[in-house]
Amino acid sequence: MSESGGFTTMAGARAEKEAPQLGVGMLGYAFMGKAHTNAFKKLPYMIYPPPAVPTLAAICGRNEAATAEAARRYGYTRYYTDWRKMLEDPAVKLFDNGGPNDAHAEPCIAAAQAGKHILCEKPLARTAEESKTMLDAVNKAGVKHMVAFNYRFVPAIRQARLLIESGALGRIYHFRAMYLQEWIMPHYNTPMIWRLDKKAAGSGALGDLGAHIIDLAHYLVGGIKGVSAMAQTFIKNRPNADGSMGTVDVDDAFVATVEFENGALGTLEATRFAAGHKNYEVLEINGEKGSIRFNLERMNELDVFWVGDEPKETQGFTNVLISEGYHPWWEHWWPQGHMIGWEHTFVHEIAHLLDCIVNDKAVAPIGATFEDGYRAAVVCDAILESAQGKKQVDVKY
Ligand code: SOE
């Protein structure tokens, strides 16, 4: 308990010196541009003293009016409609790629060659091969690099990793994860969008949602040895903006069984056709000493079960609130029980990257590097190969 019995003093932090500033160049102004910019602006006064103060040097997007509006709305100093010009801007030290999947590789490789540190939204790229070109570029350039697998930065997920690392679960037998959404079901009348076009997205639910749970499988359990999967496209044609009919050439859903290198067995599932589920990412880990269960829609909680934990063992799982000052990142927020949300995971992950940049620390294992993005892409490719070939596929990173 802290001095006030669980209510830490909110005004206690003191900054000994001015934090360094770091200019950000943001590619994209839509969903991820908004989520990342919200984190850049909130970070300096909530993660206090901040490792660095991100300055909004520039934002870039194809549509000039929308990009200029985003610059005004968020307070970016400049805006560009050509990312090549933005990368020439000396004020840009951190390139943040929040663009669609087909706009990840070329700009990130160019940013690495220009000596910029890089944050790239997930999935890293459309395929493992394309991800590898990005990994090679950042390794050659010696810049810091992170993939925005933001669920590693949910306090409860970080707490699960710490418990597993401490041996609290013992040998891991199972990893079970689902990521369920509903927003492209018939009643949404979703037209052809870039996420449903293989050329733009690389894959469908697999790369968008499956990549998250594959990264968490790597983060919480370890490497994957082999997969056996099935995939389905439930609606094969959707209207294009011009009224013509487009062909959906990506998966609407996949299910996979996986064998981990440490012998554990797993099941992975992601779909955008789970009626009633809005952003339902759940996972469960079963070990010899107990189990841990997480649900993103109750993201400040963990359900735990400890073998031999009398008398709870006879009653099943216990629900634990992850909101104490000593829980990961909670010292930056509110007193116990005052919940944080999905947006705060971006504040945590960007603060971590800034700390790694200004203090030359390793991004991994707390954050996902381009190596992790590549490893997730290898598993995604294996799942597609298994589904298309109707066979089990070995995973070779
Ligand atoms: C859309 O499916 C989406 O925004 C994903 O792209 C995000 O990564 C996920 O966190 C929420 O859903």
Side-chain angles (χ1 to χ4, degrees), residues 115-146:
K116 315 289 186 184
H117 302 293
I118 304 169
L119 171 61
C120 184
E121 259 303 324
K122 43 53 62 184
L124 180 57
R126 293 169 287 185
T127 64
E129 183 183 9
E130 191 175 50
S131 300
K132 186 68 169 58
T133 64
M134 301 167 76
L135 175 58
D136 292 345
V138 293
N139 283 338
K140 185 174 177 194
V143 295
K144 297 292 182 183
H145 46 95
M146 186 165 82

Side-chain angles (χ1 to χ4, degrees), residues 58-364:
I59 188 166
C60 181
R62 278 172 293 198
N63 177 301
E64 175 159 15
T67 307
E69 177 63 23
R72 271 192 301 279
R73 171 179 180 178
Y74 297 121
Y76 282 92
T77 306
R78 278 175 298 285
Y79 72 86
Y80 296 90
T81 54
D82 179 350
W83 56 262
R84 295 165 191 79
K85 294 276 182 275
M86 185 168 78
L87 292 182
E88 290 168 6
D89 189 330
V92 172
K93 304 296 183 201
L94 168 60
F95 173 59
D96 184 346
N97 194 332
N101 300 349
D102 60 343
H104 287 184
E106 192 183 0
C108 284
I109 290 169
Q113 290 166 345
K116 315 289 186 184
H117 302 293
I118 304 169
L119 171 61
C120 184
E121 259 303 324
K122 43 53 62 184
L124 180 57
R126 293 169 287 185
T127 64
E129 183 183 9
E130 191 175 50
S131 300
K132 186 68 169 58
T133 64
M134 301 167 76
L135 175 58
D136 292 345
V138 293
N139 283 338
K140 185 174 177 194
V143 295
K144 297 292 182 183
H145 46 95
M146 186 165 82
V147 182
F149 280 119
N150 59 303
Y151 296 120
R152 289 185 180 214
F153 290 87
V154 173
I157 294 282
R158 178 72 189 146
Q159 188 64 35
R161 161 93 185 211
L162 293 172
L163 283 166
I164 293 166
E165 273 178 349
S166 74
L169 275 178
R171 175 185 172 190
I172 304 298
Y173 298 129
H174 290 288
F175 176 85
R176 196 169 298 108
M178 294 191 288
Y179 202 154
L180 312 180
Q181 294 180 350
E182 64 166 16
W183 60 281
I184 61 169
M185 291 183 68
H187 60 289
Y188 278 79
N189 296 310
T190 311
M192 270 308 289
I193 54 174
W194 71 263
R195 291 179 188 271
L196 304 177
D197 170 13
K198 186 179 179 71
K199 185 174 174 301
S203 62
L206 174 61
D208 186 29
L209 303 176
H212 276 298
I213 53 178
I214 289 165
D215 177 67
L216 291 178
H218 285 151
Y219 178 61
L220 296 170
V221 180
I224 290 173
K225 193 171 157 186
V227 300
S228 182
M230 301 184 88
Q232 186 61 276
T233 304
F234 298 115
I235 297 178
K236 305 221 187 312
N237 298 101
R238 293 178 184 262
N240 291 311
D242 64 6
S244 63
M245 285 309 279
T247 304
V248 177
D249 53 0
V250 296
D251 58 288
D252 286 331
F254 83 93
V255 292
T257 53
V258 301
E259 181 184 4
F260 289 88
E261 289 165 352
N262 64 10
L265 288 182
T267 56
L268 303 172
E269 179 184 359
T271 182
R272 294 154 164 167
F273 278 73
H277 288 297
K278 310 304 179 177
N279 198 33
Y280 185 75
E281 182 188 41
V282 296
L283 62 86
E284 180 169 329
I285 304 142
N286 307 128
E288 67 179 314
K289 299 180 183 173
S291 294
I292 294 174
R293 202 162 52 189
F294 170 79
N295 174 354
L296 180 63
E297 294 177 352
R298 302 171 68 105
M299 68 171 268
N300 295 285
E301 302 171 32
L302 280 180
D303 290 336
V304 296
F305 175 84
W306 303 119
V307 173
D309 189 12
E310 294 303 338
K312 292 199 184 79
E313 181 176 319
T314 51
Q315 298 152 8
F317 282 80
T318 302
N319 178 264
V320 178
L321 215 46
I322 305 295
S323 72
E324 301 295 339
Y326 52 75
H327 283 138
W329 297 294
W330 263 89
E331 73 268 22
H332 300 299
W333 300 108
W334 317 116
Q336 59 195 182
H338 294 61
M339 298 309 163
I340 62 172
W342 181 80
E343 70 175 90
H344 299 86
T345 65
F346 293 89
V347 178
H348 302 157
E349 77 173 347
I350 290 171
H352 174 69
L353 179 57
L354 295 179
D355 184 27
C356 293
I357 290 169
V358 299
N359 297 309
D360 193 18
K361 293 178 180 175
V363 170

